């Protein structure tokens, strides 16, 4: 009988994640999406000191993108309802976004399980006093998959 050796690999994995997080500073974050139609966070903090800010979207579920696909889109809070409703008609082939939608500040493609994509935001494009949101434009997901993008010092 061989005893399971879980402790050492688990610690190595934790160390790997910890070093990766510190190397990326605060100008990059990872947001996970799931088969339960959720993002791993409802708030993104964008430091004003960053020139660009990257968001990597992952999908830790098991369902393909035509069943439970997700994207991550950033716009002003006031543009969000129209970006979502116009995106609905564009279909999966266009990542559920109106082609050339100038209201979209940044977005990932629609992902299925096991995929990832990274968007890069020009931090200077976020205006003082404006409210921004991140969300998924796959039809029916907006009520569950919505959060705030905040500029922080
Ligand atoms: Zn979604």
């Amino acid at each position: 009988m061989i005893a399971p050796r879980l402790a050492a690999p688990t610690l190595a994995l934790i160390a790997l994640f910890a070093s990766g997080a510190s190397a990326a500073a605060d100008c990059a974050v990872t947001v996970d999406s799931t088969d339960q139609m959720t993002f791993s966070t409802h708030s993104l903090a964008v430091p004003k000191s960053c020139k660009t800010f990257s968001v990597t979207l992952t999908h830790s579920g098991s369902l393909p993108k035509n069943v439970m696909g997700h994207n991550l889109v950033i716009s002003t809070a006031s543009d969000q309802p129209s970006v979502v409703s116009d995106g609905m008609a564009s279909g999966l082939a266009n990542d559920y976004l109106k082609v050339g939608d100038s209201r979209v500040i940044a977005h990932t493609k629609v992902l299925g399980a096991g995929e990832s994509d990274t968007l890069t935001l020009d931090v200077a494009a976020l205006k003082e006093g404006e409210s921004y949101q991140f969300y998924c434009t796959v039809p029916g997901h907006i009520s569950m998959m919505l959060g705030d993008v905040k500029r922080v010092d």
Side-chain angles (χ1 to χ4, degrees), residues 41-60:
T41 180
H42 289 290
S43 180
L44 292 179
V46 180
K48 293 173 187 171
S49 59
C50 297
K51 188 173 174 3
T52 60
F53 186 80
S54 297
V55 182
T56 298
L57 178 66
T58 59
H59 189 317
S60 63

Side-chain angles (χ1 to χ4, degrees), residues 26-27 29 43-55 72-79 102-107 119-135 147-153:
D26 291 323
C27 299
V29 296
S43 180
L44 292 179
V46 180
K48 293 173 187 171
S49 59
C50 297
K51 188 173 174 3
T52 60
F53 186 80
S54 297
V55 182
L72 193 152
V73 179
I74 295 174
S75 75
T76 64
S78 57
D79 282 340
S102 60
R103 297 165 298 189
V104 173
I105 296 168
H107 72 91
L119 67 76
T120 301
L121 190 63
D122 177 7
V123 175
L126 301 182
K127 307 276 185 289
E128 198 79 57
E130 181 68 82
S131 297
Y132 296 92
Q133 291 179 333
F134 71 96
Y135 48 90
D148 294 317
V149 179
K150 296 203 183 302
R151 301 163 89 244
V152 296
D153 287 317

Side-chain angles (χ1 to χ4, degrees), residues 33-39 57-59 65 68-72 108-112 136-138 141 145:
S33 61
T34 70
D35 287 346
Q36 286 71 46
M37 213 188 286
T38 57
F39 284 133
L57 178 66
T58 59
H59 189 317
K65 67 180 176 182
M68 186 51 75
H70 303 299
N71 61 5
L72 193 152
T108 70
K109 61 186 181 182
V110 173
L111 309 179
C136 175
T137 62
V138 173
H141 292 201
M145 305 188 75

